[in-house]
Amino acid sequence: MIKSRGSAELEASFTMIPPQPPGSLILIDWYRSADSKEYFNRIKNKKQRRRFGLLEAPVLPPHLSVDTVRYKVFISGKSGVGKTALAARLSGLDIPNMHYETTGIESTVVFWPVKLRDNGQVLFFRLQLWDCGENALRRFDHLLPSCKEQVDAILFLFSFTDRASFEDLSNQIARSSEPSDSVVKLIVGTKFDLFMHADVTDQDVRKFQEVWGLPVFRMGADVVGAFGEVAPLLNALAESLWHQDCMMVGAARPSPATGGPGPRPGV
Amino acid sequence: MCAMLQAGSLHLLCLTASSGVPLFSRGVSRQLPFSVIGSLNGVHMFGGGQGAVLSCCETDSGGRVVWKVFQESVMLIAVNGEQGGAVDDFQLRRLLENTWNCMVLVLGQDELVNARNVERLKRDLRSCYRLIDLFLEGAGDGMGDLTHCADCLLVPQPGPLQEALDTFTQASESEFGCLLVHGKVVVATEKWWRLAPQEVVLLSALVRTFSGSSSCDHPVFLPQGSPTVPLRLLRFQLLPGADLCVLCGPAPSLQTAESQLVARFWCPLVETLRGCLALSGRCLPGSVKLHGDVLGLLLINRESRRAVSTVTPGDTPPGRPRPARCRELLRLFYVFAATRYLGPEEAGVPGERRQGDPLEEDFTLGFSHQPLQCYLVTEECKLFGLQTPQHQLYLLMPVSVPTFALRSLATRTLSALTSSTGF
Ligand SMILES: Nc1nc2c(ncn2[C@@H]2O[C@H](COP(=O)(O)OP(=O)(O)OP(=O)(O)O)[C@@H](O)[C@H]2O)c(=O)[nH]1
Ligand SMILES: [Mg+2]
């Protein structure tokens, strides 16, 4: 793996963060259960995902009323790895079948209902995915700082069909985060469906995971629009963000009465 | 006459003007063979050597080619394949102008004119493809790509929207703000209307390319207003289909504008915005009643360089063209009438006879007077064009309307439209 200077130091600090086992804070299979239906129906429109403008949010009847928590998620990765495609996939939009470079920042809002394990509370996660074309980002200096401003999580993307994009990960991580920041970081390998052209092996991925201590997700199944394709990543993202918030609240007030942070007003 | 109203297939080539190095090629058909590209460049160069500028030509099989060099640095060539009888030089020239504008919008003029490294320019030009392809495909359901007038949507009560837009724009430290519904301008600030009409068309097209996302921060160069210094186009999708745009300098950040300003100014107007979305198929307020024989129309305000177009939606009775075809017929009739009789509206003094491109063989120069009306009868439909000092109206009607009644239907439609909307 090609590493930039200082990445050894970065790695060391990332491995210090104890990884929480998936499903320890939220019910990861909840989206499949019957009692989640009335929540998931709010983000569906017939068979497709419902689209929400900035002035809109899922409307729930009073007896189901839940809190919404808002987070900003930056999608980072080499041009052509599939950032725009991932944002479309997670939000249920049509996935571009052609690569048109993104010529600036485009953000997409995704609503995702989650059930907490300890108290059974349901929350709507409002994840705003920030996708910036890599070439635009290089050409215009103001775009990267804007993506990093008050960011809560970063998805670092590589493509299984492009080894250079995998080797670029350490640069991407160094560019967008500080070793000590409290930003949630996940790795997403795209185009996993194109295994015939795979340029990155399972072993590469395992080694990377050991060294960096960051979870790696594989994306790129056929698109049928079902939640099953996106649920593992969205749940992991939601859980990590919630975990991060709990730690922050915990640091400020050692024993939070509710066991988690309250909903944050508009971020 | 029918063959005249069929659209063909387009191909677009871009080369360096000095050495003829291909930069990109777009279009529906397969990539043109290199030898063809070479010849197209060669004949243009040959003309140049003889002190002649080759502007367009028609092939034996009915194809057309149009050349144009921009800023002495980039040559664009539009090729329309065989049997593309309906495509006029005018349409191809517009395509070249729009393509150049797309390139400037995304990359800025300096990079195009002073490119030091051709390979790098080639790579950078890829970022223009999405916008260029949109123009190749006809730029959505508007007509602005042809008319170079801003496609508008007329709402019954624009007052509250205009007010919200003006205050929002000011709060965003900008003077340039605009509200689009399905790519059509509903309201815009005074300064936005002072942008060159092609720029308004271009920015509306850019917003169409964002379709699904919630908000954007895009660096843009304005081909006339700011070709070398990038501005930021912030765009917020208030409701799916309703886009709010402002052109800003370095501040505010996308996040600040979105979290602190958007909801504050626009939440009270959600229902008004939904009302606009409901009109978007027609682009006219419900109170405007059109005669049952009007299948579609294009109305241009020559002074403000704004346009509104509509085609009758819904089920088509047998023998009448379907809505998509109506739109196509109106576009083709606009080109036909505007280039031969009424004169396309060029930026500059409105109402004045077109000075035009000195290279164009000017059909209208054959007239000693300015035609005010014209009509066209085909096996498919009847069309009437009408010009007043303030407006141009292009009207599409079924063949069943007697030809002698076209004029009065057109005059009545024009006065009904202008008196009820003040457009
Ligand atoms: N088969 C397959 N194709 C994918 C996948 N993800 C992305 N693609 C394709 O890869 C190409 C590039 O994807 P984009 O999402 O446009 O790339 P990007 O990262 O946004 O690139 P820039 O905007 O230039 O930075 C497109 O043609 C996508 O259809 C995937 O998981 N599987
Ligand atoms: Mg992209």
Side-chain angles (χ1 to χ4, degrees), chain B residues 302 342-346 348-355 370 387 389:
Chain B
R302 305 171 66 192
L342 306 182
E345 296 299 320
E346 296 298 342
V349 191
E352 200 155 272
R353 272 302 282 276
R354 175 165 58 121
Q355 317 272 270
Q370 169 70 62
Q387 174 155 269

Side-chain angles (χ1 to χ4, degrees), chain A residues 190-216:
Chain A
T190 62
K191 310 195 190 180
F192 192 58
D193 53 320
L194 304 176
F195 51 87
M196 297 290 281
H197 308 275
D199 211 5
V200 178
T201 64
D202 270 352
Q203 204 188 342
D204 294 328
V205 173
R206 229 175 301 123
K207 182 140 176 277
F208 179 91
Q209 237 167 329
E210 274 167 28
V211 173
W212 288 84
L214 295 174
V216 178

Side-chain angles (χ1 to χ4, degrees), chain B residues 212-234:
Chain B
S213 61
S214 310
S215 67
C216 303
D217 182 347
H218 267 243
V220 292
F221 297 86
L222 299 178
Q224 331 263 304
S226 184
T228 55
V229 178
L231 302 170
R232 293 166 61 228
L233 178 74
L234 301 188

Side-chain angles (χ1 to χ4, degrees), chain B residues 150-156 158 179-187 275-285 307-309 423:
Chain B
D151 288 309
C152 295
L153 186 150
L154 306 184
V155 297
L179 176 70
L180 296 164
V181 164
H182 291 307
K184 313 248 165 73
V185 181
V186 178
V187 286
C276 298
L277 285 165
L279 290 178
S280 70
R282 192 162 180 256
C283 294
L284 291 168
V308 57
S309 61
F423 183 75

